[in-house]
Amino acid sequence: MMELIRLTKAYKGVPAVRDVSLVVQEDEYLTLLGPSGSGKTTLLRLLSGLEKPDAGQIHLNGEDVTYRPPYLRGLGIVQQNYALFPHLSVEDNVAFGLRYRLIDPVTDDSEVKRRVAETLELVGLTGFGGRMVGQISGGQKQRVSLARTLVTRPKICLLDEPLGALDANLRERMTVELRKIRATLGVTFLHVTGNETEALAMGDRMVVLDKGGIVQADRPDAIFSAPSDVRVARFVNTYNVLTGSGQDSVFRTADQLVSLPEEAHGREVGFYAIRQDSVEIDAAGTVPEPGRTSLQATYITSEFLGSRFIYIFRLPDGGVFEVERHLSHSDPVTYKGGETCSLSWNLADALVFDPSGAALETNAFKGAA
Amino acid sequence: MDGAAVETPIASSVPSRDGPGFFQRHGHLLLLAPGVIWMILFLVIPLAMMVYVSFWTQTTFAIKPDLTLKSWTTFFASETYFGALLRTLRIWLTVLFLTFLFGYPTALYIGQFVRNKTVQTILLVACVIPFWTSFLIRVLAWRPMLGKEGAINILLQGLGIIDQPIEVLLFTELSVIIGMVQIYVVFMVGPIAFMLARIDDSLFEAARDLGASPMTIFRKITFPLSLPGVVVGAIFVSVMVLGEFATASALSGRKVNLLGNIIVTQVGSLKWAFAAVIGVVLTVVMASVITVLLRVVNLRREL
């Protein structure tokens, strides 16, 4: 178990990580989601010991390791660019940690060979041991890098955007494999990513970072259905976020009025979010049924994504509003560019946030909780 | 583009216009020609001439193109000349070792410990400042340093460390080695520093994270990855030291004769054939040295 206590780090006065407290459990897959510049790589480097924090502590199984050098921490980091040793073969790369670590190196060569072969098999690279690093593909390099870390049996394995440089196909396969490999070894994975789908799909638990601080930490489904902050709603990329202000029972945005859920009546509201797949598209001027509310918008274009369509609308203030339609639910409809439509949704599906961005308790939250 | 598309049907009926033109077919040969001609004129022919002339018959005042092995047998039979070959090899190895010994730490400092690119460049430029003055002046400047009443002896006597001036400092093999190391160490520093600066920091981080101590990282990562730089530096130093004659004659008082010095005296007394023999020997030695060095590292893969 690793405990981060109020960790803070700044580069030349610019804070990169501020006041981060988090407990990393044994045997869990934890994903860290944040946009670029949110401090996720810095946080990983602090944990691994490659950087020293300005303030705060890191405890590993109850021991303070904040200022311990990386080679004495027993953590493993898989770097974004793989950082394979170009002058060594795949086998020697993987064996590096076992042979040359300061603490408890494995001197028996046959034992090294056995463990390396075992780990290469785990990552699906049996038979690649003799190749040089320059002779393997990007996806294979990624696995070698993972194997090189896993073979040393780290207490926690830190992965810095491990799938970032892979193409979509490979990325999907590795998503499944990483989870499988982790489950086999029972090692905690701390996976940093800027991709919301990856974070949602892979983590047992997920932490959302913004501007160096933790915004929300929870199960992915909880974060997805009940973002605690409007920033989280934006990161997960499935919400339309409207900016405006609440006036008693209505919310004014882009010179239009939409109804607020009952719980938010009379409260201060700054943001209004609705999931892209809970919105219906009707002809312009359609009056919404009771319990629903609507918004007029201009249709721009649609995007076909295989199993679903994304319809893109423009609001009068220039903002973009997206509606997602699964083809398993409804057949695609063709709209004319420039056509005005009425977009409506159930009030119960709406999420509201106060002007500072914090979520206000509504039915949607209760449903998720 | 449009014009070409319109012309296609006509062009297909006229084969000569359809196929690639003369320049397109033979363009690569044309581009190759200047380099090849240059190499033949200034490398292949002179080398062949040198080998050919080394078999000519030499008399006191003339040289005749009658083939003979006489110059070759003289070279290998003579204590003086064959000894010069051994001395050249010995001095070359000593200088090579010393330039590495002084050059590697310097390069390590510039390439790895200095993180600022501007400072790196400034330090590398500082290394070549001695080159702003002529080669001969740099060599001769060692005389007032190493002489019997030179700077080093005056300083050591003044500090009371020695009573008598150290005489071996100048006009010995030692002074030749000191001079050469100072002049050529830069050629070792440059390529190594360049190679070291190119190593991605993430490799060191990965090695640290895998539990390796700083010493192990140097032995297993830093040094092997800088090896191409060491080989390039060694080739520079070797080629220059093996052909040296000026430093040896200026700092040894003509007592230390390298192969280069012998070529100079032989040419001076118009013994072309014998000079050619030594030239061939030197060329063979250099070629073998470079071959061996290139065996150490596959430069084509590394650079």
Side-chain angles (χ1 to χ4, degrees), chain A residues 29-73:
Chain A
Y29 203 127
L30 185 67
T31 49
L32 255 160
L33 173 69
S36 62
S38 60
K40 45 193 199 307
T41 299
T42 307
L43 186 58
L44 214 60
R45 293 173 65 85
L46 288 176
L47 301 188
S48 64
L50 296 173
E51 303 273 355
K52 305 263 171 284
D54 299 334
Q57 291 177 332
I58 302 167
H59 288 213
L60 194 60
N61 297 329
E63 264 182 286
D64 185 353
V65 298
T66 318
Y67 298 103
R68 201 179 275 185
Y71 57 92
L72 299 176
R73 283 195 193 198

Side-chain angles (χ1 to χ4, degrees), chain A residues 25 35-36 51 63 81 98 104 115 117 121 147 158 176 189-190 200 222 234 250 272-273 332 365:
Chain A
Q25 303 291 348
S36 62
E51 303 273 355
E63 264 182 286
N81 63 356
L98 291 179
D104 188 27
R115 288 205 215 171
E121 193 190 333
L158 311 165
V176 181
F189 271 24
L190 205 159
L200 288 168
R234 287 203 171 108
V250 291
Y272 190 112
F365 282 100

Side-chain angles (χ1 to χ4, degrees), chain A residues 230-339:
Chain A
V230 69
R231 285 173 291 171
V232 179
R234 287 203 171 108
F235 294 155
V236 295
N237 213 14
T238 41
Y239 285 90
N240 289 300
V241 178
L242 305 171
T243 312
S245 58
Q247 293 162 347
D248 194 26
S249 69
V250 291
F251 182 78
R252 176 179 289 278
T253 177
D255 285 332
Q256 298 197 46
L257 297 174
V258 292
S259 307
L260 282 168
E262 220 169 293
E263 300 83 3
H265 286 184
R267 298 173 69 176
E268 243 192 303
V269 179
F271 302 95
Y272 190 112
I274 182 72
R275 269 171 73 153
Q276 292 168 0
D277 56 357
S278 344
V279 180
E280 297 291 342
I281 308 170
D282 301 304
T286 308
V287 179
E289 291 163 33
R292 293 177 73 83
T293 186
S294 72
L295 192 66
Q296 307 299 310
T298 316
Y299 171 76
I300 307 171
T301 184
S302 66
E303 221 175 276
F304 177 53
L305 297 171
S307 62
R308 62 211 157 97
F309 259 96
I310 303 271
Y311 297 100
I312 301 170
F313 292 86
R314 185 183 289 131
L315 297 173
D317 67 343
V320 171
F321 198 100
E322 294 180 17
V323 180
E324 191 180 313
R325 278 284 75 113
H326 277 265
L327 295 181
S328 56
H329 288 206
S330 57
D331 286 331
V333 186
T334 317
Y335 302 96
K336 279 201 296 289
E339 187 180 346

